[in-house]
Amino acid sequence: MDDLRAGRWLSTQRLLANTAQQMGLRTSRTQVLALVAARSTVLSDWARENPDDPGLAVLRTRVLVEHALAAAAAGSPKAASLEREARESCWAAAQAVPLDPVPWVCLLALAVLDRAKQRPEHQRRSSDPMLPPGPWGLLDEALRRNPGNREAHHRMLRYWHRVYRPAAADFVNAVMSMAAFGSPLAALPLYLSVDYYRNEPSRNAVVLRQWLREPHFSRAQRAYESWAVSEPGSWPVVDLSYLAHALWASAQMAAAVEVFGALGQFASRAPWSLVAESPDRAEALLLTARQQALAGRATALA
């Protein structure tokens, strides 16, 4: 990342080449690296020297997708042209690196911009009759290249949140019925709980205590049980943050302390910024939750 900021791309090229057979890791690395590359002209320099590099094709697609999503969110007059350019790059990258799931994940990311489902790839029927038509073909292509791809599932969940919210829970239930125990996908239901909380019109006492009730309590419990048998380090910080929050909010303090311990010095703004009184209170809420979890466990042990 430091090299990219300084306009150097060789270390990124080597990094992506070394993860060519680890598609889950490659997906997450390209997502992070693209956030840095999007703020510089380093990819133009890379293209001049090595235009056919597969890592460049994927990273450039990532950057174009980020620009298109940002332009759409800002209501920019360039949004339509940036979206078109990003889609063209996705399809070109899918041909250039046919075994890579990232171009398909990027197409899923762009799917939220087609809320009316005008594009044919967003009208595919699901194999599950309980789920409405959507970009299932794009998800299938990503998972064919990397079964269990975390970002692909989260992009699909985000799509349903934006396009047809009632389908989000059915989608998550379908995923959970097939996900391997210990997979980070076990955190998906926790995102549903936070989304439900955020979309409640009031913040009365019942809503504030939602994690003490079903299905939110059991979602936290099941996610913790899955994480407890996972390979150390396999869950990203943001998923652990959602898990720590859910366990604290559902008063499962001993388990919450374990997850806070696994997080160590790391943290993510979500979900704390989403459930705090205001986004600037996210850090304060995180610290309060950790202190209360430690105190709650100490009381239980006593």
Side-chain angles (χ1 to χ4, degrees):
M1 289 172 69
D2 286 340
D3 279 353
L4 284 177
R5 291 189 184 100
R8 298 186 293 267
W9 51 270
L10 283 173
S11 59
T12 297
Q13 181 190 44
R14 287 194 295 268
L15 182 68
L16 294 181
N18 290 339
T19 53
Q21 305 304 317
Q22 300 168 277
M23 290 305 177
L25 184 60
R26 182 179 176 86
T27 302
S28 60
R29 282 181 170 174
T30 56
Q31 186 178 23
V32 174
L33 292 168
L35 295 175
V36 181
R39 301 185 181 96
S40 74
T41 60
V42 64
L43 297 189
S44 298
D45 299 334
W46 188 346
R48 279 194 295 270
E49 296 193 43
N50 196 345
D52 298 324
D53 189 281
L56 170 64
V58 170
L59 205 56
R60 181 166 51 195
T61 296
R62 280 282 200 187
V63 170
L64 291 173
V65 169
E66 287 300 319
H67 286 164
L69 294 174
S76 169
K78 297 181 179 180
S81 62
L82 288 174
E83 179 185 349
R84 184 167 55 254
E85 184 182 8
R87 287 189 190 281
E88 290 171 356
S89 183
C90 287
W91 292 113
Q95 288 188 326
V97 281
L99 299 181
D100 198 319
V102 174
W104 301 99
V105 171
C106 286
L107 285 167
L108 276 173
L110 291 172
V112 299
L113 303 181
D114 181 22
R115 300 186 70 171
K117 296 186 183 180
Q118 294 180 333
R119 302 187 65 84
E121 64 265 31
H122 302 157
Q123 301 169 10
R124 288 282 297 275
R125 291 193 174 277
S126 170
S127 58
D128 187 334
M130 295 296 293
L131 294 166
W136 299 108
L138 303 180
L139 178 64
D140 289 344
E141 292 289 353
L143 299 184
R144 189 173 295 123
R145 291 157 176 79
N146 180 218
N149 186 283
R150 178 191 175 276
E151 188 185 347
H153 286 93
H154 278 265
R155 292 291 185 183
M156 194 66 166
L157 178 58
R158 192 173 304 176
Y159 172 83
W160 291 120
H161 279 162
R162 290 282 301 276
V163 175
Y164 183 59
R165 191 174 299 276
D170 290 334
F171 168 66
V172 169
N173 290 337
V175 172
M176 297 311 298
S177 69
M178 298 181 291
F181 200 58
S183 164
L185 295 179
L188 267 178
L190 308 182
Y191 289 75
L192 273 183
S193 292
V194 171
D195 182 70
Y196 177 84
Y197 177 83
R198 292 184 68 203
N199 284 279
E200 279 296 294
S202 65
R203 287 292 181 270
N204 56 40
V206 174
V207 173
L208 290 171
R209 292 197 298 269
Q210 75 165 30
W211 279 273
L212 297 173
R213 308 191 314 275
E214 297 297 345
H216 311 287
F217 184 93
S218 293
R219 285 173 180 171
Q221 190 175 50
R222 286 194 296 268
Y224 167 73
E225 291 170 353
S226 188
W227 169 74
V229 301
S230 67
E231 182 180 347
S234 62
W235 282 41
V237 168
V238 65
D239 286 350
L240 287 181
S241 296
Y242 269 82
L243 179 57
H245 167 265
L247 292 168
W248 162 74
S250 59
Q252 301 180 63
M253 297 305 189
V257 169
E258 286 187 53
V259 180
F260 278 122
L263 279 165
Q265 63 179 320
F266 301 104
S268 65
R269 289 192 59 79
W272 309 101
S273 61
L274 304 175
V275 298
E277 294 177 359
S278 60
D280 62 333
R281 297 289 299 163
E283 184 177 349
L285 180 61
L286 164 61
L287 295 175
T288 296
R290 187 166 60 185
Q291 291 166 357
Q292 289 181 351
L294 287 166
R297 186 184 66 168
T299 300
L301 292 175

